[in-house]
Short mmCIF file of all heavy atoms in Angstrom, two decimals:
data_model
loop_
_atom_site.label_atom_id
_atom_site.label_comp_id
_atom_site.label_asym_id
_atom_site.label_seq_id
_atom_site.Cartn_x
_atom_site.Cartn_y
_atom_site.Cartn_z
N ASP A 123 3.70 -13.24 -24.20
CA ASP A 123 4.83 -12.34 -24.45
C ASP A 123 6.14 -12.97 -23.97
O ASP A 123 7.16 -12.94 -24.69
CB ASP A 123 4.62 -10.99 -23.77
CG ASP A 123 5.78 -10.05 -23.95
OD1 ASP A 123 6.11 -9.73 -25.09
OD2 ASP A 123 6.37 -9.67 -22.91
N ALA A 124 6.13 -13.56 -22.78
CA ALA A 124 7.32 -14.23 -22.26
C ALA A 124 7.76 -15.41 -23.14
O ALA A 124 8.94 -15.65 -23.32
CB ALA A 124 7.11 -14.65 -20.81
N GLU A 125 6.79 -16.14 -23.65
CA GLU A 125 7.09 -17.26 -24.56
C GLU A 125 7.77 -16.76 -25.84
O GLU A 125 8.75 -17.37 -26.33
CB GLU A 125 5.82 -18.04 -24.90
CG GLU A 125 5.28 -18.82 -23.72
CD GLU A 125 3.92 -19.39 -23.96
OE1 GLU A 125 3.14 -18.89 -24.83
OE2 GLU A 125 3.56 -20.38 -23.24
N ARG A 126 7.28 -15.63 -26.38
CA ARG A 126 7.92 -15.07 -27.58
C ARG A 126 9.34 -14.62 -27.28
O ARG A 126 10.25 -14.84 -28.08
CB ARG A 126 7.08 -13.86 -28.10
CG ARG A 126 5.80 -14.28 -28.81
CD ARG A 126 5.11 -13.09 -29.45
NE ARG A 126 4.61 -12.12 -28.49
CZ ARG A 126 3.42 -12.20 -27.88
NH1 ARG A 126 2.64 -13.23 -28.12
NH2 ARG A 126 3.06 -11.26 -27.02
N ARG A 127 9.55 -14.02 -26.13
CA ARG A 127 10.90 -13.59 -25.74
C ARG A 127 11.82 -14.79 -25.57
O ARG A 127 12.98 -14.74 -25.97
CB ARG A 127 10.84 -12.75 -24.46
CG ARG A 127 10.18 -11.42 -24.63
CD ARG A 127 9.91 -10.75 -23.28
NE ARG A 127 9.15 -9.55 -23.41
CZ ARG A 127 9.67 -8.30 -23.59
NH1 ARG A 127 10.99 -8.18 -23.67
NH2 ARG A 127 8.90 -7.26 -23.67
N HIS A 128 11.30 -15.86 -24.98
CA HIS A 128 12.08 -17.09 -24.81
C HIS A 128 12.49 -17.64 -26.18
O HIS A 128 13.68 -17.97 -26.39
CB HIS A 128 11.22 -18.12 -24.05
CG HIS A 128 11.88 -19.44 -23.90
ND1 HIS A 128 11.96 -20.36 -24.94
CD2 HIS A 128 12.45 -20.04 -22.85
CE1 HIS A 128 12.57 -21.45 -24.52
NE2 HIS A 128 12.91 -21.28 -23.27
N GLU A 129 11.54 -17.71 -27.09
CA GLU A 129 11.86 -18.25 -28.40
C GLU A 129 12.88 -17.36 -29.13
O GLU A 129 13.79 -17.88 -29.82
CB GLU A 129 10.60 -18.38 -29.25
CG GLU A 129 10.81 -19.07 -30.55
CD GLU A 129 9.53 -19.52 -31.23
OE1 GLU A 129 8.46 -19.27 -30.69
OE2 GLU A 129 9.67 -20.14 -32.31
N ALA A 130 12.80 -16.05 -28.99
CA ALA A 130 13.79 -15.16 -29.62
C ALA A 130 15.18 -15.38 -29.03
O ALA A 130 16.17 -15.40 -29.76
CB ALA A 130 13.35 -13.69 -29.45
N ARG A 131 15.28 -15.56 -27.72
CA ARG A 131 16.59 -15.72 -27.10
C ARG A 131 17.17 -17.11 -27.35
O ARG A 131 18.35 -17.25 -27.62
CB ARG A 131 16.51 -15.46 -25.60
CG ARG A 131 17.89 -15.62 -24.95
CD ARG A 131 17.91 -15.24 -23.50
NE ARG A 131 19.30 -15.26 -23.03
CZ ARG A 131 19.69 -15.36 -21.81
NH1 ARG A 131 18.79 -15.46 -20.84
NH2 ARG A 131 20.95 -15.35 -21.47
N TYR A 132 16.37 -18.15 -27.19
CA TYR A 132 16.88 -19.52 -27.23
C TYR A 132 16.67 -20.19 -28.60
O TYR A 132 17.04 -21.36 -28.78
CB TYR A 132 16.24 -20.35 -26.13
CG TYR A 132 16.69 -19.86 -24.75
CD1 TYR A 132 15.88 -19.05 -23.99
CD2 TYR A 132 17.93 -20.23 -24.25
CE1 TYR A 132 16.30 -18.59 -22.75
CE2 TYR A 132 18.35 -19.80 -23.01
CZ TYR A 132 17.53 -18.97 -22.24
OH TYR A 132 17.95 -18.52 -21.03
N ARG A 133 16.07 -19.45 -29.54
CA ARG A 133 15.86 -19.96 -30.90
C ARG A 133 15.03 -21.24 -30.96
O ARG A 133 15.19 -22.08 -31.83
CB ARG A 133 17.18 -20.15 -31.62
CG ARG A 133 17.95 -18.84 -31.75
CD ARG A 133 19.32 -19.06 -32.41
NE ARG A 133 20.14 -17.91 -32.24
CZ ARG A 133 21.08 -17.82 -31.29
NH1 ARG A 133 21.35 -18.80 -30.47
NH2 ARG A 133 21.81 -16.72 -31.21
N ARG A 134 14.16 -21.38 -29.97
CA ARG A 134 13.21 -22.52 -29.91
C ARG A 134 12.09 -22.11 -28.96
O ARG A 134 12.34 -21.37 -28.00
CB ARG A 134 13.87 -23.79 -29.43
CG ARG A 134 14.47 -23.67 -28.04
CD ARG A 134 14.99 -25.02 -27.52
NE ARG A 134 15.71 -24.86 -26.27
CZ ARG A 134 15.14 -24.66 -25.08
NH1 ARG A 134 13.84 -24.61 -24.99
NH2 ARG A 134 15.88 -24.53 -23.98
N PRO A 135 10.90 -22.60 -29.20
CA PRO A 135 9.82 -22.29 -28.27
C PRO A 135 10.00 -23.05 -26.96
O PRO A 135 10.62 -24.10 -26.94
CB PRO A 135 8.56 -22.73 -29.01
CG PRO A 135 9.02 -23.79 -29.93
CD PRO A 135 10.44 -23.43 -30.31
N PRO A 136 9.44 -22.56 -25.86
CA PRO A 136 9.47 -23.33 -24.63
C PRO A 136 8.60 -24.58 -24.80
O PRO A 136 7.68 -24.61 -25.63
CB PRO A 136 8.85 -22.38 -23.59
CG PRO A 136 8.10 -21.36 -24.36
CD PRO A 136 8.73 -21.28 -25.71
N ARG A 137 8.94 -25.61 -24.05
CA ARG A 137 8.16 -26.86 -24.15
C ARG A 137 6.72 -26.60 -23.75
O ARG A 137 6.46 -25.72 -22.92
CB ARG A 137 8.80 -27.96 -23.33
CG ARG A 137 8.76 -27.70 -21.86
CD ARG A 137 9.34 -28.90 -21.09
NE ARG A 137 9.49 -28.59 -19.66
CZ ARG A 137 8.48 -28.55 -18.81
NH1 ARG A 137 7.26 -28.74 -19.18
NH2 ARG A 137 8.72 -28.27 -17.52
N PRO A 138 5.79 -27.32 -24.30
CA PRO A 138 4.39 -27.13 -23.92
C PRO A 138 4.20 -27.42 -22.42
O PRO A 138 4.80 -28.31 -21.85
CB PRO A 138 3.62 -28.18 -24.73
CG PRO A 138 4.53 -28.48 -25.87
CD PRO A 138 5.92 -28.33 -25.35
N ASN A 139 3.39 -26.60 -21.78
CA ASN A 139 3.10 -26.75 -20.36
C ASN A 139 1.77 -26.07 -20.03
O ASN A 139 1.70 -24.87 -19.95
CB ASN A 139 4.22 -26.14 -19.52
CG ASN A 139 4.00 -26.31 -18.04
OD1 ASN A 139 2.94 -26.75 -17.61
ND2 ASN A 139 5.00 -25.94 -17.26
N PRO A 140 0.71 -26.87 -19.84
CA PRO A 140 -0.59 -26.29 -19.54
C PRO A 140 -0.68 -25.58 -18.17
O PRO A 140 -1.58 -24.80 -17.93
CB PRO A 140 -1.55 -27.48 -19.60
CG PRO A 140 -0.67 -28.67 -19.34
CD PRO A 140 0.68 -28.33 -19.91
N LYS A 141 0.29 -25.82 -17.30
CA LYS A 141 0.32 -25.20 -15.97
C LYS A 141 1.24 -23.98 -15.94
O LYS A 141 1.53 -23.44 -14.88
CB LYS A 141 0.79 -26.20 -14.92
CG LYS A 141 -0.12 -27.38 -14.74
CD LYS A 141 0.43 -28.30 -13.69
CE LYS A 141 -0.42 -29.54 -13.52
NZ LYS A 141 0.15 -30.43 -12.50
#
Side-chain angles (χ1 to χ4, degrees):
D123 176 60
E125 290 170 337
R126 285 188 294 275
R127 291 170 186 270
H128 175 284
E129 188 166 0
R131 181 175 188 201
Y132 293 99
R133 299 178 194 99
R134 60 174 172 76
R137 66 177 172 75
N139 182 351
K141 296 180 183 180

